[in-house]
């Protein structure tokens, strides 16, 4: 005979589970239940084994168990976890059942199904189990349970063996904390029920009776408000308070501000203009604090507070709304002009020159300032439009042309600097990669593939073997991974010899490409303006520099972000290789991408927008 | 003794190469050269072995060879290919030299270096080799070579052993095709030279003499133009023709049009206003044909053809320029208004409602049409601005509010439909994947990993194992790969059971996400307008639907674009596995991504722009 031990227990359980599965498949719930009780197998398995079959045969389950106690035992042991996951895994080959109805939680599904079946089979017979089903839901339905006990007391059933109210309440107190039950009884606004629970709770009547009497003396809506507030159910409290008439409004406003119930309040007080306005103003104040001045402005404007609305809009650079409100007030022309200038100034700070120019032109009636704003913002065509509209061709000579010439030389110089930097980083990257590859080869040669130091040099290759899933993965918690990436990038240093210099160079190269690629529209507009004013030579030079730059960058992409190096991926084989050594080297490679993901995000190649056409034929 | 065979030859060559490397490293060029000649080893190796050392020791090389014939032999055998690449690979461990100076071709570098060294050592002594160096460049410098022969004839050197012009010409004719040489001699515009070559060429003097005499009779610039045109050197031809005065301009214009030398022509005729204008008009016509009407307009405007410019701008929806030109002409107000209406119509067709409204408002002076255009284009804030600017609040009631209500119901319905479709595709994808995985497992189980049919079912997993480099790779020839992707997508069918149904579903899901994600700005603007007009309920519903939709899609991304499945990546091991079987299964996996790349691009997860805030607090 074999010695008894762990191994046998495991085998034993496997056999038991096989038997249980058979019983459950044959709907022999009673046999399964008793066996599981005896062997302390988690009762959730009855459901988890095949949720669909269980839910379709609840009546059979209840009939076979035929005992309030047993059903209660099953209900109280319900857990969200699927026991066929880790605890009692399914034998291989049997497809995993989608365990519960979409959206709903398993515990709720089972409780509700059992309860409704028991209610149809005998509400008195299964009374305690029905209570259990209410209480065991993920959000316990204590009010309903209490209500049912109350009904039992008011009209006791004369069925034989029916449970009495007294016994039912005792059972509820056994399932639920006394204070919870008392609070929830208050929440039913039914003082009979409250007293019933309070009496059972061994609370001091000197404590709860004055409070209950005070409540009883209140107007019904205000009474309910007071109870809701006591139970911290502020939304309900506000709903009841809103029905208490005008004199209670200050109290309501206070509650709204304290509990930030602004949107609920606006919904409740829609009909009353004065209260609605007061609430809107309070909400607007809160929104301004939350940096949501534009939304505050909308609320203030629509409730008839244009002056405050104007302030809110102006504060959030919501200039169109600000101007509309100003014209509705209406602001006198000089003040409107001042407002427009003020808004334009803010927009220029945000580099929104076209919008600033519109304000200056149409509301401040200052076309010269408008044109200058457009020239500053390099919005060449629109500047020219205003120049012709206001017949101010003089500005073309005094400002537009000089600005164009300055822009072309700035852009050309900027591009040249970016390209020099790009070439420098690119060359350096080649050197760093070569050094790393060489250092790694040397180590491998000396110590063989198992050398732990080799990992030190695997970074260079890890950069190249990262899968695209490093990206898709990070999307799950994009905010935190964004922060992590930021933190990682800080660690990267372009200093020669820094440990992750190659990755830092890849980031820097990617950013250079993005910067230069972003300039397509800008360069296109500038080139057209230059051609119009016959600055062909300068335009040609810019076009040439930009085109060469883009081509050079595009050509560098496969070198900077190469395909995984084939040599470093191939497993180490040869006459001396064994199955184990091959596996080891293979696993090493498998793990590398994962490791590198933790180290730092793999830099991905930037996308170039070759679809954006910017080149002028006339300059070729 | 071993039998003689291939093996020995290979070893022999390896030994020879080792010896050659030693000689070259020790600058024993002559020994290397003679050995290589004897054993028919490619002479490029002399340079390729160590370009830097060779270029630094050219004088030594020439001195050691000390023979025009040998140097010519070396020069004529020069090829761009690096012989240390595939032909005579470097022994491992020796770093690869960057083979040639950046940008320049190897052949040109070697020819130029040898030539200048020989010229300094003895231009007469190495005369034929110098000619060879000119002729062997990637773009043969035949004119220069001819010029040198001509100089030799004009003033024969009296150095002993110097080559005569006759002999040099004969040598040139041996290197180069006679007709090529004749044409190039024409290109020097030197009739002595032409005659010299012509005489040697055995051409019929009756053929070339009349032509040469005709040329001689022409004005020098026109003569050169005629020669250039004969040689199809049209740019040079145009340059010479432009110096021939006004009466030749029609001919020049003809040439420009035929050869599309517009930009060159504009450069050459900048000084002459009339010609410049004629050329600009011709170019503009060509640009309009090339769908570049805007650039045509710029050329016409700047050369003083505003009417044609207006037409070109109007035709390309370059409305700002069109309006500017119209005001410069100036167009009478009623015609300007007509033009503005016309342009606005075209812009509305392109869904550029804000620009159309500007034209209608400011140039057609029709604020009502402008406001209606903005409402049609869902540019709510700007519509409201014009309503207040022109005091047309009546339009708010008649058009704006109904349009808002229609927009919110359209958007809500559209979103709901998209989300239904998304859920349907997503569920179907799960089913298809499960089926494929099961079918593949079944096959593997029956036939083992070598079963060729298993490949049929590998697509499901190949979708998941594709690396990000399928992307970066395709950028190399982005145009062709874009076309290929398009063609691939056509092959994908959403029909149930189609072979690539899973991939088609992934594409469809990605497109749904992109569509819904794109609506952020639109929904934000609509919600604000709805709040302003108290349509809170409708706004709340839209906000809810949109938020749930975005959340659902974001949550689905890791499921639809999962990480590579771990099981399908693990190599097949077990007690029966051998090194070979593991390797085979591993290699199969290695090849799969590459294969899938050929089959169809791996769908990449779309990016969601969570940075774009669209939700309104006031609607929560």
């Amino acid at each position: 005979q074999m010695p008894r031990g762990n191994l046998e227990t495991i085998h034993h359980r496997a056999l038991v589970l096989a038997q249980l599965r058979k019983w459950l498949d044959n709907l022999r719930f009673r046999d399964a239940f008793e066996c599981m009780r005896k062997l302390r197998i988690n009762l959730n398995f009855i459901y988890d084994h095949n949720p669909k079959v269980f839910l379709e045969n609840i009546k059979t389950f209840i009939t076979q168990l035929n005992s309030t106690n047993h059903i209660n035992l099953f209900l109280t042991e319900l857990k969200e976890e699927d026991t066929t996951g880790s605890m009692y895994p399914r034998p291989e080959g049997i497809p995993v059942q989608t365990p519960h109805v979409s959206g709903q939680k398993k515990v709720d599904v089972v409780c509700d199904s059992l309860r409704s079946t028991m209610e149809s089979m005998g509400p008195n017979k299964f009374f305690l189990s029905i209570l259990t089903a209410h209480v065991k839901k993920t959000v316990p339905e204590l009010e309903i349970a209490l209500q049912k006990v109350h009904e039992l007391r008011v009209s006791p059933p004369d069925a034989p063996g029916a449970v009495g109210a007294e016994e039912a309440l005792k059972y509820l107190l056994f399932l639920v904390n006394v204070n919870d039950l008392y609070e929830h009884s208050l929440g039913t606004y039914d003082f009979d029920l409250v007293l019933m629970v309070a009496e059972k709770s061994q609370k001091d009547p000197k404590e709860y009776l004055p409070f209950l009497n005070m409540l009883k003396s209140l107007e019904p809506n205000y009474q309910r408000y007071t109870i809701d507030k006591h139970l911290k159910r502020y939304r309900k409290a506000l709903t009841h308070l809103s029905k208490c008439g005008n004199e209670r409004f200050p109290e309501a406003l206070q509650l709204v501000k304290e509990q930030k119930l602004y949107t609920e309040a606006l919904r409740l007080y829609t009909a009353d203009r004065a209260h609605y306005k007061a609430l809107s103003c309070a909400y607007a104040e809160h929104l301004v604090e939350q940096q949501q001045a534009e939304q505050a402005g909308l609320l203030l404007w629509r409730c008839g507070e244009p002056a405050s609305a104007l302030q809110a809009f102006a504060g959030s650079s919501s200039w169109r709304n600000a101007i509309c409100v100003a014209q509705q007030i209406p602001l006198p022309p000089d003040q409107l002009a001042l407002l427009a200038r003020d808004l334009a100034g803010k927009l220029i700070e945000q580099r929104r020159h076209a919008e600033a120019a519109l304000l200056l032109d149409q509301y401040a009636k200052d076309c010269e300032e408008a044109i200058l704003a457009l020239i500053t913002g390099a919005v060449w065509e629109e500047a020219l439009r205003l120049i012709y509209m206001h017949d101010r061709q003089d500005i073309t000579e005094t400002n537009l042309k000089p600005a164009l010439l300055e822009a072309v030389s700035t852009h050309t110089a900027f591009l040249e600097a970016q390209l020099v930097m790009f070439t420098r980083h690119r060359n350096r990257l080649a050197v760093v990669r070569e050094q790393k590859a060489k250092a790694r080869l040397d180590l491998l040669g000396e110590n063989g593939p198992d050398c732990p130091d080799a990992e030190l040099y695997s970074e260079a290759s890890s950069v190249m073997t990262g899968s695209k899933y490093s990206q898709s993965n990070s999307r799950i918690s994009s905010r935190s991974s964004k922060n992590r990436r930021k933190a990682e990038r800080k660690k990267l240093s372009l200093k020669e010899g820094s440990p992750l210099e190659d990755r830092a160079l890849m980031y820097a190269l990617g950013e250079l490409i993005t910067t230069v690629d972003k300039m397509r529209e800008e360069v296109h507009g500038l080139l057209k303006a230059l051609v119009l004013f016959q600055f062909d030579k300068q335009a040609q030079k810019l076009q040439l520099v930009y085109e060469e730059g883009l081509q050079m960058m595009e050509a560098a992409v496969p070198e900077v972000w190469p395909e995984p190096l084939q040599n470093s991926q191939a497993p180490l084989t040869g006459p001396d290789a064994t199955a184990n050594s091959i596996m080891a080297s293979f696993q090493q490679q498998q793990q590398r991408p994962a490791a590198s993901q933790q180290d730092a995000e793999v830099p991905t190649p930037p996308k170039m927008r070759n679809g954006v056409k910017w080149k002028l034929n006339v300059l070729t």
Side-chain angles (χ1 to χ4, degrees), chain A:
Chain A
Q1 208 189 343
M2 293 280 286
R4 303 178 74 90
N6 275 336
L7 202 63
E8 200 202 3
T9 320
I10 291 163
H11 272 118
H12 182 52
R13 168 161 287 185
L15 289 174
V16 168
L17 286 174
Q19 179 61 55
L20 286 175
R21 284 192 194 97
K22 258 187 219 158
W23 277 333
L24 289 172
D25 288 340
N26 296 324
L27 305 181
R28 291 173 61 181
F29 293 114
R30 185 174 185 87
D31 295 332
F33 182 83
E34 298 208 322
C35 167
M36 287 163 86
R37 260 185 86 190
K38 216 176 292 165
L39 297 172
R40 297 176 161 275
I41 286 170
N42 193 308
L43 293 176
N44 282 276
F45 185 70
I46 296 177
Y47 171 84
D48 294 334
H49 170 64
N50 193 332
K52 194 162 167 282
V53 166
F54 179 81
L55 291 177
E56 283 166 0
N57 295 282
I58 284 189
K59 202 165 175 177
T60 316
F61 174 73
I62 293 169
T63 315
Q64 286 188 16
L65 259 64
N66 201 33
S67 145
T68 311
N69 280 339
H70 287 174
I71 295 170
N72 289 349
L73 197 64
F74 174 72
L75 282 170
T76 46
E77 209 170 296
L78 279 177
K79 286 239 172 69
E80 208 46 44
E81 187 199 354
D82 180 2
T83 53
T84 64
S86 52
M87 211 182 285
Y88 313 126
R90 292 169 199 284
E92 272 175 49
I94 290 177
V96 179
Q97 307 277 337
T98 35
H100 41 79
V101 182
S102 65
Q104 270 193 292
K105 291 193 165 168
K106 161 186 156 184
V107 172
D108 292 340
V109 169
V110 178
C111 282
D112 285 344
S113 312
L114 272 174
R115 183 179 46 71
S116 67
T117 309
M118 290 187 290
E119 277 170 349
S120 71
M121 290 169 76
N124 294 316
K125 184 175 174 194
F126 295 109
F127 192 81
L128 293 184
S129 297
I130 290 169
L131 286 189
T132 315
H134 281 301
V135 168
K136 276 292 145 189
K137 286 194 71 172
T138 45
V139 180
E141 299 166 344
L142 296 184
E143 281 92 347
I144 302 177
L146 280 164
Q147 207 61 54
K148 286 194 172 163
V149 175
H150 187 57
E151 278 161 26
L152 206 64
R153 185 146 93 166
V154 175
S155 52
D158 52 3
V163 184
E166 203 71 1
E167 191 188 342
L169 192 58
K170 255 190 198 160
Y171 178 67
L172 259 190
L173 281 166
F174 156 76
L175 284 178
V176 190
N177 174 291
V178 185
N179 288 320
D180 279 1
L181 209 60
Y182 174 73
E183 300 274 80
H184 277 85
S185 70
L186 257 179
T188 63
Y189 317 117
D190 179 337
F191 288 95
D192 283 358
L193 202 62
V194 177
L195 279 172
M196 183 182 92
V197 175
E199 279 159 11
K200 283 284 152 203
S201 72
Q202 300 173 320
K203 272 178 182 275
D204 184 355
K206 273 183 212 150
E207 248 182 61
Y208 62 82
L209 276 181
F211 180 60
L212 291 182
N213 288 331
M214 184 275 282
L215 286 176
K216 275 183 186 169
S217 73
L218 298 175
E219 182 271 327
N221 277 314
Y222 196 71
Q223 181 192 75
R224 292 189 168 197
Y225 154 72
T226 312
I227 291 171
D228 291 331
K229 207 178 159 190
H230 172 81
L231 297 177
K232 297 196 167 57
R233 303 192 306 197
Y234 298 110
R235 273 157 210 265
K236 265 196 175 174
L238 183 62
T239 308
H240 287 127
L241 190 54
S242 73
K243 293 176 187 158
C244 296
N246 284 340
E247 70 273 20
R248 295 292 187 192
F249 181 69
E251 207 167 334
L253 188 56
Q254 187 61 27
L255 178 67
V256 168
K257 284 186 186 172
E258 273 173 19
Q259 300 302 328
K260 302 194 174 44
L261 296 170
Y262 298 104
T263 45
E264 289 81 358
L266 287 180
R267 238 169 269 144
L268 291 168
Y269 286 91
T270 317
D272 187 315
R273 240 187 112 61
H275 294 164
Y276 193 82
K277 190 186 264 199
L279 286 165
S280 293
C281 290
Y283 192 9
E285 215 170 289
H286 173 66
L287 284 168
V288 170
E289 279 167 18
Q290 302 283 308
Q291 322 292 338
Q292 302 287 353
E294 188 180 31
Q295 291 181 47
L298 291 173
L299 290 187
L300 291 165
W301 191 8
R302 74 182 195 175
C303 81
E305 288 282 345
S308 321
L310 176 53
Q311 214 180 348
F313 285 135
S316 59
S317 289
S318 183
W319 64 271
R320 281 192 181 85
N321 284 320
I323 285 290
C324 287
V325 173
Q327 293 194 314
Q328 197 202 34
I329 291 179
L331 234 54
D334 58 329
Q335 283 193 39
L336 186 66
L338 264 175
L339 172 68
R341 268 185 202 285
D342 189 43
L343 290 169
K346 280 183 196 155
L347 291 171
I348 287 175
E349 276 172 27
Q350 298 169 41
R351 300 205 52 77
R352 291 158 69 179
H353 291 92
E355 292 161 273
L358 194 159
L359 282 165
L360 291 167
D361 181 37
Q362 296 186 23
Y363 297 94
K365 306 287 180 197
D366 184 342
C367 75
E368 190 168 325
E369 275 295 311
I371 295 167
L372 295 185
L374 290 168
I375 291 175
T376 311
V379 195
W380 311 113
E381 271 192 30
E382 181 72 0
L384 204 60
R385 183 179 77 80
L386 289 194
I387 283 174
Y388 276 97
M389 190 175 203
H390 298 289
D391 206 9
R392 287 296 303 269
Q393 276 85 338
D394 59 312
I395 299 180
T396 307
E397 298 303 323
T398 56
N399 293 77
L400 181 55
K401 284 188 183 179
L404 283 171
L405 288 176
E406 203 192 311
V408 72
S409 74
T410 314
H411 276 68
T412 311
F414 176 76
L415 276 170
E416 280 167 345
Q418 299 292 97
L419 299 179
V420 165
M421 182 85 81
F422 189 86
T423 307
R424 194 188 305 149
H425 285 348
R426 182 186 175 182
N427 293 340
R428 175 69 193 156
L429 179 61
V431 171
V432 173
R433 280 187 179 155
E434 200 180 299
Q435 285 172 351
K436 283 208 176 180
K438 196 160 170 290
R440 187 151 171 266
L441 264 179
D442 286 356
L443 265 177
L444 277 176
E446 276 171 34
N447 306 303
D450 294 329
C451 164
D453 291 348
E455 268 312 292
L456 284 177
Y457 294 92
S458 72
E459 278 145 13
S461 60
S462 74
V463 170
M464 306 177 191
T465 56
S467 85
K468 72 164 178 185
Y469 298 102
S470 57
Q471 270 181 285
S472 74
N473 218 15
S474 67
R475 198 179 298 98
I476 300 163
S477 59
S478 65
R479 183 173 293 263
S480 71
S481 77
K482 201 179 273 175
N483 289 343
R484 200 181 69 221
R485 271 204 296 276
K486 238 190 207 163
E488 286 308 328
R489 259 178 235 187
K490 268 194 200 153
K491 271 201 264 167
L492 298 177
S493 161
L494 284 167
K495 228 173 93 181
E496 285 205 6
S498 93
L500 295 176
E501 190 188 348
D502 51 348
R503 224 167 287 174
L505 286 164
M506 287 172 80
Y507 275 123
L509 287 165
E511 271 166 23
L512 284 169
I513 290 182
T514 307
T515 305
V516 170
D517 188 71
K518 257 191 199 156
M519 293 169 69
R520 284 173 196 259
E521 289 86 354
E522 213 177 335
V523 168
H524 182 64
L526 179 56
L527 289 176
K528 285 197 292 184
L530 288 167
V531 165
L532 182 59
F533 294 110
Q534 311 254 25
F535 297 133
D536 290 27
K537 252 183 220 157
Q538 292 90 330
Q540 264 150 10
K541 185 172 178 204
L542 175 58
Q543 173 150 314
L544 198 69
V545 170
Y546 193 47
E547 182 164 34
E548 285 176 356
L550 285 177
Q551 279 172 357
M552 193 249 273
M553 287 178 162
E554 188 166 17
V557 166
E559 176 196 308
V560 176
W561 292 270
E563 285 199 75
L565 288 180
Q566 285 309 316
N567 345 2
S568 76
Q569 278 233 320
L572 297 163
T573 51
D576 300 331
T578 64
N580 282 339
S581 81
I582 296 167
M583 280 303 298
S585 81
F586 174 62
Q587 279 166 0
Q588 205 185 6
Q589 285 166 21
Q590 289 279 60
Q591 287 154 5
R592 220 179 283 145
S596 81
Q597 223 169 293
Q598 288 172 347
D599 287 352
E601 291 287 325
V602 174
T604 48
K607 286 204 174 172
M608 295 187 75
R609 298 172 304 138
N610 288 333
V612 180
K613 299 299 171 214
W614 61 272
K615 240 177 87 178
L616 297 191
N617 300 34
V618 298
L619 292 174
T620 46

